[in-house]
Amino acid sequence: MTTGIARHLRTLSLVSVLLAPVPAAAIGGKPAVDRDTVVMAVSKEIFNLDGQVTASGDSQRYGWQLYDTLYALDRNGDIVPRLAAGMTRSEDGLTYTFTLRTDVKFHNGELMTAEDVAYSMDRILDPAVKSTRRPAFAPVVAKSEAKDAKTVVFTLKEPDGAFLNKIAGYLFIVPKAYTQSLGSPEAFARAPIGTGPYRFVEQKIGQFVTFERFDDYFGPKPGIKRLIMRLIEEPSSRVNALLTGEVDLSDGIPTAEIERLKKTPGLTVHSVPIGSPLGVRLYANDPSLPISKAKVRLAFNYAIDANALIKNVLHGAGAPLTSYISSYYSYGVNRDLKPYGYNPGKAKQLLKEAGYPNGFEISIYSSSDWPKEIAETLAAYWSQVGVKAKIQRIDYAAWSRLNNTHKSGPMTLMQMSNAIFDPIHPVTGGASKAGTWSDYSNPEIEELILEANKTADRSERDRVFKRIGAILHEDAQAVLITEIFYVYGADSALDWAPQPGIAWYDLRTIRWK
Amino acid sequence: MLRYLTLRIAQSIVTVLLVTMIIFVIIRLIGDPTHLMLPPEATEADRELLRQQMGLSDPVAVQYWRYLLQLLHGDMGMSYRFSLPALDVVLGRIGPTLLLTCTSLAIGILVGVPLGVASAVRPDGWIDFVAKAIALFGQAAPPFFFGLIFVLVFAVQLRWLPTSGYGGPQYLIMPAIALGWYSAAGLMRLTRSNMMEVLTSEYVRMARIKGVPERVVVYKHALKNAALPVLTFASLQFGILMGGAVSIESVFAWPGMGKLILDSIANLDYAVVQAAVTVSALMFTAINLAVDLLYAYIDPRIRYA
């Protein structure tokens, strides 16, 4: 029902675009509130402010403003110390010792110590907290302890080559004494305290969240005093609010609006890759399906013109993929690989060789989270080589349940998010025997995954993932569509650029020019 | 009258209980929220643990009984998405929803009923013509269409009003008129046709023959009798506006109940869906009860039946 309405709205907003040249007034250096404040329109509700509990998709919006991690991703894609001053890993890869900075304060004024860090891990592991991060740490972490005020030791049950990445992606540090003093784990979400550059002020569900600058922050401080995230779910309403200067910055700009906003004086459009592939998950393990054959899977790739789809359906907000590993990881990307390219002749030839000279019928799921035009375009391309794909469009929540339980077959449109800045995430998740979103298995990949898990050495991991990328490319474990881009519209007078390679929002140093 | 009142209250309680029971069962048929709550890396064991913590592994009847017991203490469970009591989440939306609903309905009644009366008194006069045009647009186009047009004209072009949001009266004007227009159209047409019917009835003719002034004939004799269906329609509109203003809530980023219920269903936030439906059902039955009592006041036949 909503999607129906949303579609009409979108069509209408397109019509109205044609009618109305917008008077240039409030944008271009005139802040929505004042020069100490930035108002950002966000497209998704900010649910739970407990960064350890909330699902990753929500924490993107505020997590990086409120909390810090021991190590963090910098703008070059490197993992660098943040709350930690340094780290040593034991020979066997089972012990991680972090030395902490001594000048870090929580928003309540308390100094951060090793006790807080050890507690933050224990809190995630405690089932009563219902942390969404628990499944990432529980299988590998044996214990966490504070050796002295500034030394924390994590002992692992088995080596985990991506452990530091998980620390950087998932382990938000919370204050022990304060958190324990609260009546229930849920109470923390109402008054969250971290060490980040902004502190929490107020949340009005369905309306906004307000933050203010934390003046005792140990690192570079934000150039503004207040940050307001305003919820505006309807895309055309976000664009209107941006045009009238009611908000200074907006996420989720519909790709159809990019050109118009670029032409509007005083506005800047940022379109950045988030290190996530959008592809079609194939249930290749089912031998009764034609897509169990590599040639058919390759044919599905050659049959589509990804460049045309990106240009016309996504209005340029995308880039072709070369493998399931996004090109925007800082390592493990096989730069020798080229996109498959549009080659319907080759696709027909491959289908013939696989024993389907006249094509076949198959179905594909498409959730309401993606424009329906994407699946429609794919189906149109495939019909050119004789394959009839029936599109099953369903609500996101229902789809997500099917997709997380291996019931979204035989094919579904799907994205993989970059959560921990290491290619292990899409590889185990989407291309391994045990992967939650994988119905593809390949003994070679399984061995390489084991190899990756054993080593935390970056050049080693680089080598292993390049090899994995090449194999996945050759075997076409998925249909590759595009790198996912996030599109933001901003007042040109804002000194800010989104962090590339990740779906999280980094407003830590935003300021007015 | 007391017997009538007691009976109606008892009926209302049964209705609310039935509604909560139906929603309780249906939302559980749709799906299991643990898939949405935990990251997909989670194992079935992780999910089972969570189900037990949330009491979802018990039979639905047991869960419902527990819900009713909690309800007696005013506890409607926790929203997993917000980590807040579901009732608090819902109560936060009641103010904005009632504000928008009552304002739109007031616009609907203040515009629709007088226009309906005026056009019934002089069919095919100029007022009738204007009223018909208003009704035509109000019924032919969905409210969000006017919402979008208003935004483009008054917010984006003229900059008189903010494009969306919730706050002072300036935020209320456009969504209330967009919704109120829709109600006004229905109310106007209903009032007009009822009034036309009543105005040609014998007792009105009788009153005129007796020499009762036309103003009294129209507003006392005729309107009071034409008002019953209009009242019913208005009370139904109230229910529709309360939960069904989703598209207007979307366009204007209005923090209303409709959007909350829809999103909570999509995310299987059981506690919020249950709380929102229970609270809405309570309010809606309360309105119905009030309307029934108004009927009894307006029409003695109902009182003594």
Side-chain angles (χ1 to χ4, degrees), chain A residues 109-403:
Chain A
E110 306 266 321
L111 264 180
M112 180 199 72
T113 68
E115 284 289 334
D116 299 306
V117 176
Y119 169 76
S120 297
M121 177 64 87
D122 289 339
R123 183 168 184 264
I124 286 177
L125 297 177
D126 178 2
V129 175
K130 304 194 189 88
S131 169
T132 50
R133 310 309 189 200
R134 190 173 170 274
F137 289 116
V140 289
V141 177
K143 98 182 152 183
S144 65
E145 56 182 329
K147 270 266 172 326
D148 57 53
K150 55 170 201 156
T151 314
V152 175
V153 182
F154 296 117
T155 315
L156 306 194
K157 295 174 195 164
E158 54 187 67
D160 180 355
F163 186 68
L164 192 61
N165 295 75
K166 290 182 182 172
I167 291 282
Y170 293 152
L171 184 63
F172 285 150
I173 304 304
V174 299
K176 180 178 181 179
Y178 168 76
T179 312
Q180 281 184 330
S181 74
L182 299 171
S184 70
E186 284 86 4
F188 186 80
R190 269 162 268 171
I193 283 185
T195 61
Y198 295 93
R199 66 202 297 167
F200 168 72
V201 178
E202 187 189 11
Q203 177 183 29
K204 276 258 191 248
I205 289 171
Q207 298 180 51
F208 58 81
V209 179
T210 309
F211 306 92
E212 80 188 7
R213 181 170 67 200
F214 176 41
D215 286 321
D216 283 338
Y217 187 59
F218 67 93
K221 291 176 193 57
I224 52 167
K225 286 186 186 147
R226 262 176 315 278
L227 172 65
I228 300 166
M229 289 188 178
R230 242 187 83 184
L231 175 69
I232 306 180
E233 290 178 272
E234 174 54 37
S236 64
S237 304
R238 280 198 298 282
V239 170
N240 285 335
L242 192 63
L243 287 172
T244 59
E246 284 162 58
V247 300
D248 305 308
L249 172 65
S250 173
D251 72 358
I253 299 297
T255 52
E257 297 273 22
I258 294 176
E259 275 315 305
R260 175 165 76 126
L261 293 189
K262 272 186 180 164
K263 284 189 199 126
T264 308
L267 281 185
T268 305
V269 175
H270 300 277
S271 177
V272 288
I274 57 162
S276 297
L278 176 66
V280 177
R281 169 179 174 183
L282 303 171
Y283 279 62
N285 283 343
D286 180 348
S288 70
L289 294 171
I291 48 172
S292 61
K293 294 180 180 164
K295 281 186 175 166
V296 174
R297 298 195 298 266
L298 282 166
F300 271 36
N301 275 292
Y302 284 115
I304 63 168
D305 187 346
N307 282 314
L309 187 148
I310 291 165
K311 185 163 169 271
N312 299 315
V313 180
L314 301 173
H315 301 268
L321 290 156
T322 58
S323 90
Y324 209 55
I325 295 174
S326 160
S327 306
Y328 299 99
Y329 281 106
S330 50
Y331 56 91
V333 181
N334 194 328
R335 310 267 172 207
D336 297 333
L337 300 174
K338 295 276 165 289
Y340 292 107
Y342 179 47
N343 193 339
K346 192 168 180 181
K348 275 187 193 158
Q349 179 61 30
L350 283 164
L351 283 172
K352 203 167 138 191
E353 287 171 25
Y356 303 98
N358 302 317
F360 52 87
E361 285 185 17
I362 193 161
S363 67
I364 177 170
Y365 275 110
S366 157
S367 88
S368 54
D369 233 26
W370 289 102
K372 71 175 194 325
E373 288 81 5
I374 294 180
E376 283 169 359
T377 309
L378 296 179
Y381 276 123
W382 289 331
S383 74
Q384 298 293 309
V385 297
V387 175
K388 263 188 80 176
K390 196 176 135 248
I391 300 166
Q392 291 177 287
R393 198 166 163 78
I394 58 170
D395 176 71
Y396 175 75
W399 171 83
S400 157
R401 212 165 46 249
L402 295 178
N403 197 46

Side-chain angles (χ1 to χ4, degrees), chain B residues 27-104:
Chain B
I27 184 76
R28 276 164 180 72
L29 288 178
I30 298 177
D32 169 5
T34 58
H35 287 293
L36 297 171
M37 294 173 66
L38 288 175
E41 296 96 321
T43 61
E44 192 48 40
D46 293 329
R47 279 192 281 269
E48 188 49 43
L49 179 69
L50 191 56
R51 260 178 231 128
Q52 278 168 13
Q53 284 175 340
M54 296 175 70
L56 296 175
S57 36
D58 298 325
V60 177
V62 175
Q63 292 182 46
Y64 184 64
W65 179 243
R66 200 163 46 214
Y67 177 69
L68 286 182
L69 290 182
Q70 283 177 354
L71 209 55
L72 291 179
H73 298 99
D75 175 7
M76 295 199 179
M78 291 289 281
S79 158
Y80 87 80
R81 290 185 304 155
F82 296 103
S83 283
L84 285 173
L87 189 59
D88 290 0
V89 174
V90 172
L91 290 180
R93 299 295 182 102
I94 294 247
T97 299
L98 279 180
L99 180 64
L100 183 58
T101 303
C102 294
T103 315
S104 330

Side-chain angles (χ1 to χ4, degrees), chain B residues 110-131:
Chain B
L110 290 177
V111 173
V113 174
L115 269 185
V117 173
S119 53
V121 172
R122 281 195 218 298
D124 299 320
W126 68 270
I127 293 185
D128 192 26
F129 180 76
V130 172

Side-chain angles (χ1 to χ4, degrees), chain B residues 21 64 88 124 165 186 214 264 271-272 275:
Chain B
M21 197 162 84
Y64 184 64
D88 290 0
D124 299 320
E214 184 64 13
S264 303
V272 174

Side-chain angles (χ1 to χ4, degrees), chain A residues 2 16 23 48 132 237 246 397 436, chain B residues 39-40 83 152 159 163 251 262 266:
Chain A
T2 33
S16 55
N48 181 334
T132 50
S237 304
E246 284 162 58
T436 308
Chain B
S83 283
L152 285 172
R159 307 279 161 97
T163 54
V251 170
L262 205 66

